[in-house]
Each structure stands twice: as C-alpha cells, then as structure tokens.
Amino acid sequence: MDRLQQAISKARMRREGAEAPAAGKPAQPERRERKPQAQGLSELDARWGEFEPLTIDAKTVTNNRLVAYSSGESSIPFDMLRTKILQQARKNKWKRIAICSPESGAGKTTVTVNLGLSFSRMREKRLTIMDFDMRRAGLSRALGQSTKTSMSDVLERRVAFAEHGKCLEGNVVFGFNRERVKNPSEILQNPVTAQVLDEIESYYEPDIMIFDTPPLMVSDDSHGFLEQMDCALLIAAAEITSMDKLDVAERQLSELTNVMGIVLNRCRYTTGAHGYENEYY
C-alpha cells in the first residue's frame, strides 16, 4: 500500500511539474530504464545481473579457511550439508534458514560462508545470504570485502538491496555489515524488516535465503526475528560448546522456529567420516 501511495504521489507531482520527494528506498530498485537484455536473458536473470560481482582473492581463501571455494576433498562436508539442506527445504517447503549458535566462537559465520561457496557451484540454484549479526561484520571479514553500506541500511530503507549486495558466480548474493550498529535488536524486530525481507524474496525469487544470526545466549537480538524464519541450523563447536548450553539453545530455538539440525564444527577427528579415503581424489 505504501509503494502504491508513493507511485500515485509521484505521478501527481510530475503532472504539476515537480518531482515528489523520496520517503525511503524500497528493498528492490524502482522500475527504471534497463540496459538492453542479452538474447534469451529472462527478467529474473536481469535482476540478478544488476548486483556488483563479488571477487575473493587467494590469500583470503587460505587465511579464512574457505575450504568450499572449489570442489575437492576439503569441500565434501559442506557439499554434503548443502545437499541435506536442500532435501529438508524441499520436503518441508522451507526457504528462510537461520544459522545460529549458542555463543560466539562456534564458527557459524565460517559455516555460513562455506555453505555459500558450496552453493555457488550449484549454478541452477539462487541464494541470498545476509549478515544479521549486526554487532560485528563477520561475513565481510570472512570474505575479505569492504562495503560502503550495511544490511541495516537496507532494512531501514536507506539503500536498495540491489545497490548493497554482491553476487558470487551469478547465483549467490551476500548482504554484508560494514560496522557495528547501536540498536540491532530494535532493527531486527522492527515490522519494517519483515516487509523488506518479503520484498526481497518476492522480487528476486531466491530458492534459499540464509541468515547469519547473532548468538542465542549473548543478547535478545535474534529472538524476535527468528519467528520469521522457516527453520534454523544450530552450530556447535567441538570441545567448546557444552552439552548444557547446546540443550538450552536447542530448546530456545524450538520455541521460535523449526530446528533443521545441529552441526558439529571444529572437529579434529574426521578421518573416514565422509565415506572416502584420501586417495579417492
């Protein structure tokens, strides 16, 4: 209704010879003259093609443990997790998936990034991956990115998602944070945030939407927001996350959304865990 009213207002002002003032940028770009589309390129392809391309340098891949950057033995755990996520999402008609952890330090951002890299090799699938842990800039650091805007700017309609997101391999768009925000809980639980996400989902039609969310036991940032998720994946760190905290976090999650599963991260003992020996590759 707000967008309709804005359109009507703009049309009236143009008739009077003046341009209506913008009340805030929508999550998706307003209709404008587009560059000529390549032959056979759909309207949806064109929308995804408007994002700035994301490039990752070799040093970042090595230093930040981006093991799913290319296919191989190191990427197998994330490729398997990717497939299981797709199976569960298809079976239950889930699209919005939160990546959570009981506390900080479990490696949820590293898992999120590697999942995105794994999905980028599955070119027929489109994903959005957004950093909703607004007390830090985890995704941008993990991928070695520098941005002028943050997801908070998108959610508060100061910038369109098309102007903020960066697209990897044409099918995985990342939404980053640039710096810590002062009121993350209020932003995440604001009804406008739900409206913006609905607009992004409707306009870009991603197959999966993944959210790197704040630790459950550190603040209330994600507690109101998780109700908007279809499900959540809980990340635990081997030898760090206690069973008591994992149990509490799982109960909290189950009260807010569906629990897709628990991922054990930072496990030192993985030999033969995936059914292949090293010489397979």
Side-chain angles (χ1 to χ4, degrees):
M1 182 62 70
D2 290 339
R3 285 179 290 168
L4 179 59
Q5 291 174 344
Q6 289 178 16
I8 293 172
S9 176
K10 286 183 179 180
R12 182 182 300 114
M13 294 295 288
R14 280 196 294 267
R15 287 197 300 270
E16 296 173 354
E19 183 67 28
K25 295 187 177 182
Q28 71 276 6
E30 294 181 359
R31 297 294 182 182
R32 61 182 182 272
E33 184 178 352
R34 297 184 182 276
K35 298 178 181 179
Q37 291 182 202
Q39 187 175 4
L41 192 65
S42 70
E43 176 70 16
L44 187 57
D45 290 333
R47 293 174 186 175
W48 281 73
E50 292 181 346
F51 289 106
E52 178 184 343
L54 187 153
T55 58
I56 309 169
D57 61 60
K59 184 178 180 181
T60 298
V61 172
T62 301
N63 292 347
N64 294 354
R65 303 186 301 278
L66 305 185
V67 297
Y69 182 74
S70 57
S71 60
E73 184 177 10
S74 297
S75 72
I76 290 177
F78 292 101
D79 293 346
M80 293 180 68
L81 181 59
R82 171 193 68 187
T83 300
K84 290 180 179 179
I85 287 174
L86 285 173
Q87 290 172 342
Q88 288 294 313
R90 184 165 50 246
K91 177 182 178 182
N92 296 288
K93 294 181 172 57
W94 291 338
K95 177 174 287 191
R96 298 183 182 183
I97 302 171
I99 308 295
C100 308
S101 64
E103 296 181 304
S104 59
K108 65 178 176 60
T109 297
T110 301
V111 170
T112 301
V113 168
N114 277 292
L115 266 177
L117 296 175
S118 180
F119 270 110
S120 74
R121 292 185 274 107
M122 189 175 280
R123 302 297 170 79
E124 73 279 6
K125 298 295 183 182
R126 289 189 173 98
L127 274 81
T128 59
I129 299 180
M130 304 180 196
D131 194 346
F132 271 35
D133 191 350
M134 296 185 181
R135 297 180 187 269
R136 52 196 294 271
L139 285 186
S140 58
R141 285 200 298 266
L143 287 168
Q145 302 299 306
S146 177
T147 63
K148 297 179 180 180
T149 57
S150 294
M151 277 306 304
S152 59
D153 296 310
V154 176
L155 299 178
E156 294 186 314
R157 298 190 183 281
R158 288 188 292 270
V159 64
F161 189 53
E163 299 171 8
H164 168 75
K166 292 186 178 182
C167 190
L168 179 65
E169 301 295 345
N171 68 316
V172 178
V173 173
F174 286 87
F176 297 106
N177 289 327
R178 183 172 62 89
E179 58 189 4
R180 179 190 178 107
V181 301
K182 296 180 180 179
N183 57 335
S185 179
E186 289 77 13
I187 292 174
L188 292 177
Q189 298 186 51
N190 192 319
V192 175
T193 291
Q195 295 172 9
V196 170
L197 290 183
D198 288 343
E199 292 170 10
I200 291 173
E201 181 177 342
S202 175
Y203 192 75
Y204 293 104
E205 302 179 24
D207 297 289
I208 298 289
M209 302 176 74
I210 292 179
F211 301 83
D212 184 7
T213 63
L216 288 163
M217 303 174 74
V218 174
S219 68
D220 70 329
D221 290 0
S222 62
H223 285 247
F225 168 75
L226 283 170
E227 293 179 340
Q228 301 177 40
M229 297 291 99
D230 295 321
C231 62
L233 198 62
L234 187 59
I235 311 299
E239 302 181 21
I240 297 177
T241 306
S242 69
M243 288 301 299
D244 287 342
K245 289 181 179 178
L246 186 61
D247 185 53
V248 170
E250 185 179 9
R251 288 204 307 270
Q252 288 179 341
L253 270 183
S254 65
E255 293 172 356
L256 298 169
T257 187
N258 299 294
V259 180
M260 176 179 278
I262 299 174
V263 174
L264 182 63
N265 192 32
R266 296 186 175 181
C267 185
R268 293 182 294 169
Y269 308 103
T270 59
T271 302
H274 311 298
Y276 302 114
E277 298 301 330
N278 291 338
E279 60 267 20
Y280 182 85
Y281 287 91

